[in-house]
Amino acid sequence: MSDQSRPYRTAAVIPAAGRGVRLGPGAPKALRALGGTPMLIHAVRAMAASRHVSLVVVVAPPDGAPEVRNLLDEHALPERTDFLVVPGGETRQESVKLGLDVLPADVRAVLVHDAARPLVPVETVDAVIEAVRDGAPAVVPALPLADTVKEVEPGAPGEAEPVLSTPERARLRAVQTPQGFDRDMLVRAHEEVAVGGEGATDDAGMVERLGAPVVVVPGHEEAFKVTRPLDLVLAEAVLARRRANDGF
C-alpha cells in the first residue's frame, strides 16, 4: 500500500510524569484541579477535541499509572477517541519515548503536548496537524514576543547579570504545544538525539539537531503553560469566561 493510500492516523502523547514543584507542594502538577477538574483531563480533552486525533497516550508518573487510568475512567471523554496510559520515565525525554513505543503501526502523525497547557484551543491543534499532513516533518505553534529580550551572562540568583546582546524581537517566537511531527522523524530524533544536550530543550529542538526543517504556525494566547500559582489563577479566569460565554 502506498503512503498516499494508507490511512493517516494521528495520535497525541501527553507526558504527565512531572512533579511541578514551582506550583508548590501537593499533587503532581498535571493532577492539580482547574475549575474542579484535574489539568490533565483538560489537556486530554483538548487533544481529543480534534477529530483528527484518534488516540491519546498519557504518560503517567512511574508509580502513578493506575491512579491516572482511574482518573480517565471517572471523567467524560469523547467516545470516538481511544486512550492509553503508560508509566513514564525519570526525564521528559524518556517519558515521550515510552509514549511513542506504544503507538500502533498505523499512526503516521504524532502530537506531543504538555499536560500543563490545559486550555489550548482545538483550532491550534488542528493547525498543527494540518501542517504535518501537508508535509512538514515538525511543526510548533508559537506567538510573537511582546517584551524585548536580552541575552545575558548567567550569574548567581539575585546578582546583577551583564547583558551580552539584544536579539531582534521580530525574529523571535514563544513556542507552545502541541508540537506535531511526522512519526518516523520523531522516532529517529529520540533514537539519535539526547535531550539535555546543547540546543535541544524540546522535541522540535531534537528534530532541528537532525538538520530537518521545523515550521511555525500561529499559537494562541490561551495555550499558556501553568507553571506558577499566578498562572493557575489566570487559567481559572479563562475557564470561567469560557463556561460563561460558551458553556465549555
Side-chain angles (χ1 to χ4, degrees):
M1 182 181 294
S2 69
D3 284 348
Q4 288 75 20
S5 60
R6 287 168 53 198
Y8 203 110
R9 194 175 181 205
T10 300
V13 175
I14 302 180
R19 300 299 304 180
V21 294
R22 283 178 288 183
L23 271 177
K29 178 165 58 176
L31 303 184
R32 300 292 181 91
L34 172 60
T37 300
M39 280 200 293
L40 175 60
I41 297 300
H42 289 286
V44 169
R45 287 173 174 167
M47 296 300 98
S50 171
R51 292 188 175 275
H52 299 302
V53 175
S54 59
L55 171 66
V56 177
V57 178
V58 178
V59 188
D63 58 352
E67 179 183 2
V68 171
R69 288 192 190 96
N70 290 337
L71 200 63
L72 294 183
D73 289 340
E74 291 169 2
H75 291 82
L77 300 171
E79 293 183 359
R80 67 172 183 274
T81 307
D82 295 327
F83 302 92
L84 289 174
V85 178
V86 297
E90 292 300 318
T91 67
R92 186 181 186 279
Q93 180 200 11
E94 291 174 2
S95 293
V96 173
K97 180 63 166 59
L98 289 167
L100 290 175
D101 288 344
V102 302
L103 295 181
D106 62 347
V107 169
R108 297 172 59 196
V110 181
L111 303 178
V112 180
H113 183 58
D114 294 333
R117 296 184 189 270
L119 300 177
V120 57
V122 67
E123 293 82 7
T124 302
V125 180
D126 286 342
V128 171
I129 295 170
E130 288 163 8
V132 175
R133 290 188 169 196
D134 285 343
V139 182
V140 295
L143 292 175
L145 298 184
D147 298 320
T148 297
V149 176
K150 302 288 186 182
E151 181 186 4
V152 303
E153 183 65 43
E159 289 187 357
E161 299 173 324
V163 171
L164 301 179
S165 66
T166 304
E168 185 180 347
R169 188 173 63 184
R171 298 175 62 88
L172 302 177
R173 298 292 183 270
V175 173
Q176 302 174 326
T177 70
Q179 298 183 356
F181 304 90
D182 171 81
R183 183 209 182 134
D184 292 340
M185 178 61 69
L186 184 57
V187 169
R188 179 186 163 204
H190 274 268
E191 290 174 346
E192 299 182 18
V193 179
V195 168
E198 183 178 353
T201 58
D202 63 358
D203 296 277
M206 295 168 67
V207 172
E208 288 178 52
R209 291 183 64 185
L210 292 177
V214 178
V215 301
V216 168
V217 297
H220 196 281
E221 62 183 4
E222 293 181 1
F224 60 89
K225 192 172 186 178
V226 179
T227 302
R228 297 175 175 84
L230 185 59
D231 300 325
L232 193 57
V233 173
L234 178 58
E236 291 280 4
V238 171
L239 185 60
R241 179 190 56 76
R242 286 187 183 182
R243 286 174 171 170
N245 294 343
D246 308 321
F248 177 82

